[in-house]
Amino acid sequence: YDTNMSTLSSAVTKINQALDSGRNVAIQYTYREPVDALTQGALPRAMRMGRTVPLEDHLNTHVGSRETIEELQTKYAEDPRVRFSGIDNSLGKGNQEAKNIDSLPKIEENGLRERLQDALEEEHTAGRISDAVRAGTDGSRSNVESQVLDANAAGTAEREAVQHGEGDAGSGRQSEAQDRSHLSPRSYPRITD
């Protein structure tokens, strides 16, 4: 089962469901430096798949999962059905190592939000991520939804103008709606509940 275990109550529920069904539980905590996980993981994946993770969620997952794992180790310390192990995934592609969780770096929130924001802006400025991926990663859900709605409204206005003979459809000049094609639902970050 793949989950980030960033909140204790949800993690305990999942573990207890497995135990109640007669299964043993092996939890493998994977550490990856949060800025690297953003620039080499989440953002390239968003460019390929169109699904973004807001920076705040990225931050909370990295900070929260380590705290949760430590609390789970304490809670299930006397239960032989629950085992914990760690993977250090910060050593470069193909160089991951199995490690004791206690030997992996703890992720502190202090200054991390700013470092993530700076890395996002750097990736956008360098042209490695699109405007849509930047907006979906940086913005709140309402900001992302409003950009999609704005793009859809611009496309509707353009189509109506062309239908009424008011547009530049035959001039070869790109319309405002066409310029916003990067915000189309096909390439825009998915918004799910």
Side-chain angles (χ1 to χ4, degrees):
Y1 190 84
D2 185 9
T3 182
N4 59 39
M5 289 194 163
S6 60
T7 61
L8 182 63
S9 62
S10 175
V12 167
T13 297
K14 290 177 179 94
I15 291 168
N16 288 342
Q17 285 173 339
L19 294 174
D20 291 346
S21 73
R23 292 174 171 87
N24 290 329
V25 175
I27 297 171
Q28 190 170 55
Y29 170 74
T30 303
Y31 167 78
R32 187 168 184 189
E33 196 282 322
V35 174
D36 179 64
L38 177 72
T39 61
Q40 302 303 311
L43 295 176
R45 185 173 45 250
M47 288 297 294
R48 285 190 316 273
M49 301 176 70
R51 180 182 162 272
T52 60
V53 175
L55 275 185
E56 194 67 23
D57 291 350
H58 185 84
L59 172 96
N60 292 338
T61 296
H62 281 270
V63 173
S65 64
R66 176 56 185 259
E67 292 172 357
T68 298
I69 289 296
E70 291 175 1
E71 292 171 350
L72 291 171
Q73 285 180 300
T74 300
K75 179 174 180 57
Y76 293 99
E78 302 301 318
D79 192 331
R81 300 171 301 166
V82 182
R83 296 183 330 263
F84 295 86
S85 62
I87 297 281
D88 186 346
N89 199 20
S90 67
L91 307 170
K93 189 172 184 173
N95 295 318
Q96 63 278 356
E97 285 184 13
K99 290 190 176 177
N100 183 307
I101 293 171
D102 295 335
S103 71
L104 295 171
K106 291 189 178 187
I107 300 171
E108 301 293 330
E109 190 172 340
N110 187 24
L112 180 56
R113 181 176 285 104
E114 294 78 11
R115 290 189 305 124
L116 289 168
Q117 186 69 49
D118 290 346
L120 175 65
E121 296 307 325
E122 183 177 319
E123 293 301 295
H124 183 253
T125 300
R128 290 185 286 268
I129 61 170
S130 66
D131 293 343
V133 167
R134 181 195 171 279
T137 304
D138 186 38
S140 68
R141 179 185 188 106
S142 60
N143 290 342
V144 172
E145 287 173 344
S146 69
Q147 288 186 22
V148 171
L149 292 174
D150 288 348
N152 290 340
T156 300
E158 176 71 15
R159 284 189 301 278
E160 289 174 359
V162 169
Q163 287 174 350
H164 292 88
E166 301 165 6
D168 264 342
S171 72
R173 183 174 67 74
Q174 278 194 322
S175 68
E176 180 179 348
Q178 290 166 325
D179 288 342
R180 291 184 177 190
S181 63
H182 65 281
L183 294 176
S184 72
R186 284 180 302 236
S187 64
Y188 201 77
R190 288 182 220 143
I191 300 170
T192 59
D193 289 323

